[in-house]
Protein backbone atom coordinates (compact mmCIF):
# COMPACT_ATOMS: atom_id res chain seq x y z
CA UNK A 1 0.00 0.00 0.00
CA UNK A 2 1.33 3.45 -0.92
CA UNK A 3 1.15 5.94 1.90
CA UNK A 4 1.92 9.63 1.61
CA UNK A 5 3.21 11.47 4.70
CA UNK A 6 2.53 15.03 5.72
CA UNK A 7 5.94 16.73 5.32
CA UNK A 8 5.02 19.80 7.40
CA UNK A 9 6.37 18.29 10.58
CA UNK A 10 9.18 16.44 8.75
CA UNK A 11 10.48 19.82 7.67
CA UNK A 12 10.42 21.14 11.24
CA UNK A 13 8.42 24.26 10.37
CA UNK A 14 7.07 26.48 13.13
CA UNK A 15 4.04 28.74 13.24
CA UNK A 16 4.05 32.30 14.56
CA UNK A 17 1.60 35.24 14.50
CA UNK A 18 0.96 37.35 11.38
CA UNK A 19 3.53 39.99 10.53
CA UNK A 20 2.56 43.50 11.56
CA UNK A 21 3.87 46.72 10.05
CA UNK A 22 5.78 47.49 13.25
CA UNK A 23 7.35 44.04 13.36
CA UNK A 24 8.37 44.31 9.72
CA UNK A 25 10.09 47.61 10.38
CA UNK A 26 11.99 46.13 13.32
CA UNK A 27 13.50 43.43 11.15
CA UNK A 28 12.79 40.83 8.54
CA UNK A 29 13.98 38.17 10.98
CA UNK A 30 10.65 38.65 12.78
CA UNK A 31 8.93 36.93 9.86
CA UNK A 32 7.53 33.57 10.79
CA UNK A 33 4.46 32.86 8.70
CA UNK A 34 4.27 29.11 8.59
CA UNK A 35 3.74 26.87 5.60
CA UNK A 36 1.42 23.93 5.30
CA UNK A 37 2.16 20.73 3.46
CA UNK A 38 -0.35 17.93 3.25
CA UNK A 39 0.31 15.30 0.61
CA UNK A 40 -2.87 13.48 -0.31
CA UNK A 41 -2.15 12.13 -3.80
CA UNK A 42 0.75 10.54 -5.65
CA UNK A 43 2.94 13.34 -7.06
CA UNK A 44 3.15 11.69 -10.48
CA UNK A 45 -0.64 12.05 -10.85
CA UNK A 46 -1.04 15.36 -9.11
CA UNK A 47 -1.05 18.08 -11.75
CA UNK A 48 -1.70 16.38 -15.07
CA UNK A 49 -5.33 17.42 -15.48
CA UNK A 50 -5.56 20.19 -12.88
CA UNK A 51 -7.51 23.35 -13.75
CA UNK A 52 -5.59 25.83 -11.63
CA UNK A 53 -7.72 28.86 -12.58
CA UNK A 54 -10.83 27.07 -11.37
CA UNK A 55 -9.05 25.87 -8.24
CA UNK A 56 -8.02 29.42 -7.34
CA UNK A 57 -11.60 30.68 -7.69
CA UNK A 58 -12.90 27.84 -5.56
CA UNK A 59 -10.31 28.52 -2.86
CA UNK A 60 -11.54 32.12 -2.58
CA UNK A 61 -15.10 30.84 -2.10
CA UNK A 62 -14.00 28.15 0.34
CA UNK A 63 -11.94 30.51 2.50
CA UNK A 64 -14.86 32.92 2.72
CA UNK A 65 -17.28 30.11 3.51
CA UNK A 66 -15.04 29.00 6.36
CA UNK A 67 -14.80 32.58 7.69
CA UNK A 68 -18.46 33.54 7.36
CA UNK A 69 -19.98 30.22 8.47
CA UNK A 70 -17.59 28.35 10.77
CA UNK A 71 -20.43 26.22 12.15
CA UNK A 72 -21.17 24.83 8.71
CA UNK A 73 -17.50 24.08 8.21
CA UNK A 74 -17.48 22.20 11.50
CA UNK A 75 -20.17 19.91 10.07
CA UNK A 76 -17.95 19.24 7.06
CA UNK A 77 -15.09 18.18 9.27
CA UNK A 78 -17.36 15.87 11.24
CA UNK A 79 -17.97 14.02 8.00
CA UNK A 80 -14.29 13.13 7.72
CA UNK A 81 -14.06 11.42 11.12
CA UNK A 82 -15.30 8.10 9.74
CA UNK A 83 -12.25 7.81 7.47
CA UNK A 84 -9.62 7.86 10.19
CA UNK A 85 -7.85 4.67 11.18
CA UNK A 86 -5.45 5.62 13.93
CA UNK A 87 -3.23 8.30 12.43
CA UNK A 88 -4.14 7.42 8.84
CA UNK A 89 -6.80 9.21 6.83
CA UNK A 90 -8.22 6.64 4.39
CA UNK A 91 -10.82 8.18 2.11
CA UNK A 92 -12.27 5.90 -0.56
CA UNK A 93 -10.37 6.01 -3.85
CA UNK A 94 -7.54 8.15 -2.49
CA UNK A 95 -3.99 7.48 -1.39
CA UNK A 96 -3.93 7.18 2.44
CA UNK A 97 -2.48 10.14 4.30
CA UNK A 98 -0.32 9.57 7.33
CA UNK A 99 -1.09 12.33 9.82
CA UNK A 100 0.72 13.15 13.03
CA UNK A 101 -2.23 13.63 15.38
CA UNK A 102 -4.99 11.64 13.72
CA UNK A 103 -8.61 12.29 14.63
CA UNK A 104 -7.63 14.28 17.73
CA UNK A 105 -6.63 17.25 15.54
CA UNK A 106 -9.92 17.07 13.66
CA UNK A 107 -11.93 17.03 16.88
CA UNK A 108 -9.93 19.98 18.22
CA UNK A 109 -10.65 21.89 15.01
CA UNK A 110 -14.36 21.13 15.27
CA UNK A 111 -14.45 22.48 18.82
CA UNK A 112 -12.67 25.61 17.63
CA UNK A 113 -15.14 26.15 14.79
CA UNK A 114 -18.15 25.64 17.05
CA UNK A 115 -16.96 28.56 19.21
CA UNK A 116 -15.62 30.77 16.41
CA UNK A 117 -17.72 33.84 15.59
CA UNK A 118 -18.36 34.53 11.90
CA UNK A 119 -15.96 36.95 10.24
CA UNK A 120 -16.26 39.08 7.14
CA UNK A 121 -15.38 37.83 3.67
CA UNK A 122 -11.98 38.62 2.19
CA UNK A 123 -11.77 40.55 -1.06
CA UNK A 124 -9.55 39.11 -3.77
CA UNK A 125 -6.57 41.34 -4.59
CA UNK A 126 -4.72 41.17 -7.90
CA UNK A 127 -1.47 42.41 -6.34
CA UNK A 128 -1.59 39.89 -3.50
CA UNK A 129 -2.34 37.15 -6.03
CA UNK A 130 0.72 38.17 -8.03
CA UNK A 131 2.78 37.93 -4.84
CA UNK A 132 1.45 34.41 -4.33
CA UNK A 133 2.27 33.60 -7.95
CA UNK A 134 5.88 34.71 -7.44
CA UNK A 135 6.32 31.88 -4.94
CA UNK A 136 4.30 29.26 -6.82
CA UNK A 137 6.03 29.79 -10.16
CA UNK A 138 9.57 29.72 -8.79
CA UNK A 139 9.12 27.10 -6.09
CA UNK A 140 6.98 24.85 -8.23
CA UNK A 141 9.74 24.65 -10.82
CA UNK A 142 12.51 24.09 -8.28
CA UNK A 143 10.59 21.62 -6.14
CA UNK A 144 11.12 23.67 -3.00
CA UNK A 145 9.10 23.86 0.20
CA UNK A 146 8.23 26.59 2.71
CA UNK A 147 8.02 30.37 2.63
CA UNK A 148 11.50 31.20 1.43
CA UNK A 149 11.56 31.38 -2.36
CA UNK A 150 14.43 30.08 -4.49
CA UNK A 151 15.60 33.69 -4.87
CA UNK A 152 15.73 34.12 -1.09
CA UNK A 153 12.54 36.18 -0.96
CA UNK A 154 10.18 36.04 2.01
CA UNK A 155 6.43 36.84 2.00
CA UNK A 156 6.90 40.55 2.71
CA UNK A 157 9.43 40.84 -0.14
CA UNK A 158 7.04 39.32 -2.65
CA UNK A 159 4.06 41.35 -1.46
CA UNK A 160 6.02 44.60 -1.57
CA UNK A 161 6.98 43.98 -5.21
CA UNK A 162 3.35 44.60 -6.11
CA UNK A 163 2.25 47.31 -3.71
CA UNK A 164 2.23 48.63 -0.15
CA UNK A 165 0.57 46.64 2.60
CA UNK A 166 -1.10 47.99 5.72
CA UNK A 167 -1.56 46.70 9.27
CA UNK A 168 -0.55 43.04 8.86
CA UNK A 169 0.21 40.33 6.34
CA UNK A 170 0.34 36.54 6.31
CA UNK A 171 0.86 33.61 4.00
CA UNK A 172 -0.33 30.00 3.90
CA UNK A 173 1.12 27.44 1.49
CA UNK A 174 -0.26 23.96 0.77
CA UNK A 175 1.18 21.14 -1.29
CA UNK A 176 -0.52 18.17 -2.92
CA UNK A 177 -4.23 18.98 -2.69
CA UNK A 178 -6.40 19.05 -5.77
CA UNK A 179 -9.59 20.55 -4.31
CA UNK A 180 -10.29 23.83 -2.56
CA UNK A 181 -12.05 21.99 0.25
CA UNK A 182 -8.97 19.87 0.93
CA UNK A 183 -6.74 22.95 0.97
CA UNK A 184 -8.90 24.92 3.41
CA UNK A 185 -9.75 21.94 5.61
CA UNK A 186 -6.05 21.12 5.92
CA UNK A 187 -5.31 24.67 7.04
CA UNK A 188 -8.10 24.56 9.62
CA UNK A 189 -7.12 21.19 11.08
CA UNK A 190 -3.43 22.15 10.91
CA UNK A 191 -2.29 18.65 11.82
CA UNK A 192 1.17 18.56 13.39
CA UNK A 193 1.60 22.35 13.44
CA UNK A 194 2.11 23.78 16.94
CA UNK A 195 -0.02 26.86 17.53
CA UNK A 196 -2.26 26.20 14.49
CA UNK A 197 -0.71 29.13 12.65
CA UNK A 198 -2.47 28.44 9.33
CA UNK A 199 -5.85 28.33 11.03
CA UNK A 200 -5.07 31.58 12.80
CA UNK A 201 -4.36 33.23 9.46
CA UNK A 202 -7.74 32.09 8.12
CA UNK A 203 -9.52 33.46 11.19
CA UNK A 204 -7.64 36.71 11.74
CA UNK A 205 -10.27 39.45 11.93
CA UNK A 206 -7.75 42.09 10.84
CA UNK A 207 -7.38 40.62 7.37
CA UNK A 208 -9.60 42.15 4.69
CA UNK A 209 -7.84 41.09 1.48
CA UNK A 210 -6.40 37.90 0.08
CA UNK A 211 -4.47 36.71 -2.94
CA UNK A 212 -4.44 33.18 -4.34
CA UNK A 213 -2.30 31.32 -6.83
CA UNK A 214 -2.02 27.61 -7.60
CA UNK A 215 0.24 25.73 -9.98
CA UNK A 216 2.24 22.57 -10.65
CA UNK A 217 5.00 21.50 -8.28
CA UNK A 218 7.81 19.25 -9.45
CA UNK A 219 7.95 17.32 -6.16
CA UNK A 220 4.44 17.40 -4.71
CA UNK A 221 2.44 17.69 -7.92
CA UNK A 222 0.48 20.81 -6.98
CA UNK A 223 0.84 23.77 -4.67
CA UNK A 224 -1.35 26.68 -3.65
CA UNK A 225 -0.31 29.89 -1.95
CA UNK A 226 -2.70 32.25 -0.14
CA UNK A 227 -1.53 35.71 0.92
CA UNK A 228 -3.41 37.87 3.42
CA UNK A 229 -3.31 41.58 4.25
CA UNK A 230 -5.14 44.05 6.42
CA UNK A 231 -4.90 46.56 3.61
CA UNK A 232 -3.05 46.80 0.30
CA UNK A 233 -2.38 49.57 -2.22
CA UNK A 234 -1.37 48.18 -5.57
CA UNK A 235 1.38 49.67 -7.68
Amino acid sequence: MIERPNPAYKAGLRDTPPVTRRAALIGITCLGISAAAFLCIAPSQAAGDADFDALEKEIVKEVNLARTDPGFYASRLRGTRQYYRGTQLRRPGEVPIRTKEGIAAVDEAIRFLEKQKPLGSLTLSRGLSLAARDLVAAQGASGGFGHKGPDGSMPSDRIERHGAWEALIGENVAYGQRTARDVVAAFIVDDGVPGRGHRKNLYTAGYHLMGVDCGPHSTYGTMCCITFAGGFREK
Side-chain angles (χ1 to χ4, degrees), residues 17-94:
V19 176
T20 63
R21 171 60 66 182
R22 183 172 182 275
L25 290 174
I26 290 172
I28 293 301
T29 55
C30 296
L31 281 167
I33 317 165
S34 49
F38 302 88
L39 281 177
C40 57
I41 51 178
S44 61
Q45 302 171 350
D49 58 350
D51 184 338
F52 293 115
D53 289 338
L55 179 57
E56 291 159 8
K57 292 176 183 177
E58 289 302 314
I59 285 176
V60 174
K61 294 178 183 178
E62 200 74 10
V63 167
N64 283 329
L65 173 60
R67 282 175 61 93
T68 60
D69 198 346
F72 176 74
Y73 225 89
S75 68
R76 282 190 169 180
L77 290 186
R78 288 191 201 98
T80 68
R81 298 182 80 261
Q82 62 183 308
Y83 301 120
Y84 277 84
R85 301 293 183 271
T87 57
Q88 286 189 350
L89 175 59
R90 297 187 174 192
R91 292 187 293 195
E94 298 184 9

Side-chain angles (χ1 to χ4, degrees), residues 2-234:
I2 298 174
E3 179 184 298
R4 297 297 174 188
N6 174 346
Y9 47 87
K10 281 181 63 180
L13 298 176
R14 297 178 297 170
D15 59 276
T16 58
V19 176
T20 63
R21 171 60 66 182
R22 183 172 182 275
L25 290 174
I26 290 172
I28 293 301
T29 55
C30 296
L31 281 167
I33 317 165
S34 49
F38 302 88
L39 281 177
C40 57
I41 51 178
S44 61
Q45 302 171 350
D49 58 350
D51 184 338
F52 293 115
D53 289 338
L55 179 57
E56 291 159 8
K57 292 176 183 177
E58 289 302 314
I59 285 176
V60 174
K61 294 178 183 178
E62 200 74 10
V63 167
N64 283 329
L65 173 60
R67 282 175 61 93
T68 60
D69 198 346
F72 176 74
Y73 225 89
S75 68
R76 282 190 169 180
L77 290 186
R78 288 191 201 98
T80 68
R81 298 182 80 261
Q82 62 183 308
Y83 301 120
Y84 277 84
R85 301 293 183 271
T87 57
Q88 286 189 350
L89 175 59
R90 297 187 174 192
R91 292 187 293 195
E94 298 184 9
V95 175
I97 306 169
R98 187 176 72 247
T99 69
K100 187 173 184 180
E101 301 175 66
I103 200 170
V106 178
D107 288 340
E108 187 270 331
I110 291 170
R111 292 192 296 271
F112 167 86
L113 291 170
E114 289 173 339
K115 297 177 181 179
Q116 173 65 40
K117 294 181 179 179
L119 298 174
S121 296
L122 301 179
T123 300
L124 184 65
S125 160
R126 179 178 179 274
L128 291 176
S129 295
L130 290 173
R133 181 173 296 178
D134 286 349
L135 180 65
V136 172
Q139 198 177 81
S142 68
F145 177 91
H147 291 284
K148 189 174 183 179
D151 60 354
S153 66
M154 296 300 289
S156 63
D157 300 317
R158 295 186 290 270
I159 289 171
E160 289 167 3
R161 290 171 186 166
H162 303 284
W165 56 275
E166 300 171 356
L168 69 168
I169 54 172
E171 180 181 88
N172 282 4
V173 189
Y175 303 85
Q177 287 89 353
R178 298 190 70 183
T179 72
R181 184 178 301 184
D182 283 343
V183 170
V184 175
F187 287 145
I188 292 175
V189 174
D190 232 2
D191 177 84
V193 180
R196 312 301 191 203
H198 313 100
R199 181 197 300 168
K200 287 179 180 178
N201 271 342
L202 289 179
Y203 288 99
T204 294
Y207 288 141
H208 302 292
L209 300 165
M210 67 184 296
V212 181
D213 193 78
C214 299
H217 191 282
S218 61
T219 301
Y220 300 126
T222 63
M223 69 175 288
C224 291
C225 178
I226 305 176
T227 55
F228 304 90
F232 187 72
R233 298 191 307 274
E234 299 193 14

